[in-house]
Amino acid sequence: DQQVKQNSPSLSVQEGRISILNCDYTNSMFDYFLWYKKYPAEGPTFLISISSIKDKNEDGRFTVFLNKSAKHLSLHIVPSQPGDSAVYFCAASAREYGNKLVFGAGTILRVKS
Amino acid sequence: ETGVTQSPTHLIKTRGQQVTLRCSSQSGHNTVSWYQQALGQGPQFIFQYYREEENGRGNFPPRFSGLQFPNYSSELNVNALELDDSALYLCASSSGTGLGYEQYFGPGTRLTVT
C-alpha cells in the first residue's frame, strides 16, 4: 500500500520555465513533508520541507505548497535550470514516527537548455 | 566535516548467502537510518539506530538485522539473500530522531543477488 505517491515518472521542462512536481499521500497522520533531490551515484539531498500547519514554504527558487484537504503537495521550481535535472522524491513523516521517512517513487526532472 | 560514507560501493552475491554493509555517520550524528531502494521505487525504511539501540523498524523480515557501534557507525546484515534483495541500500545519519532532524544520506551500496 503506497502511502506516498508520485504519479508522474518523468517531467521535461525548458530552461527558465516553471517545473511543477506533484505528490499525493493517503495517511492522515502525516504532518511533515519533505522534498529530496538525487543525482546519479549520490545519495538523496534535502531540498525543502513543510509542516502541516503551513500551506506554503519558500526557499529561493523552490516553493512547496500543501493542500491538506486534498492530501496533495507540490514543488515549484522557478526558474528551472539545467542543473536541476535530477530525480525528485517526495517524503512524509508524522510526529510519532520521528524522522523515519516514507518516500514516493520519485519523478525524473529533465531541464532542457 | 566528513559526510556519510558507505562501503562497499557495489557488491554481487549469490542467493542464500549473507552480506554486511557498512555506514559511517557524519561527525556529531548519533542516529543512523537504513533504507532499501529497489529499481524504479523510492527508498523504503528498514530500521533506525539511536545511540546503539534499535529505534523503530519498517516492514522487513528478521533476516535484515543491524548494529550501531559506540562511534555511531553502523552495519546492515542480510541473511539468506533472495533475488528481491537486489537494490540500492542507503544509510542516513542525523543528530536526533525527532521530526525535523535532517537526515544526510550516503551514496549507497548497490547489491546484486544472482
Side-chain angles (χ1 to χ4, degrees), chain B residues 46-65:
Chain B
I46 302 175
F47 43 56
Q48 183 181 77
Y49 279 84
Y50 171 65
R51 293 187 175 180
E52 303 179 62
E53 298 283 333
E54 186 179 289
N55 180 50
R57 187 180 183 92
N59 190 24
F60 280 82
R63 58 190 185 83
F64 285 77
S65 62

Side-chain angles (χ1 to χ4, degrees), chain B residues 10 12-13 23 48 51 67 89 103 105 112-113:
Chain B
H10 296 92
I12 299 175
K13 289 285 189 178
C23 172
Q48 183 181 77
R51 293 187 175 180
L67 272 176
Y89 288 84
Q103 295 191 66
F105 283 84
T112 302
V113 182

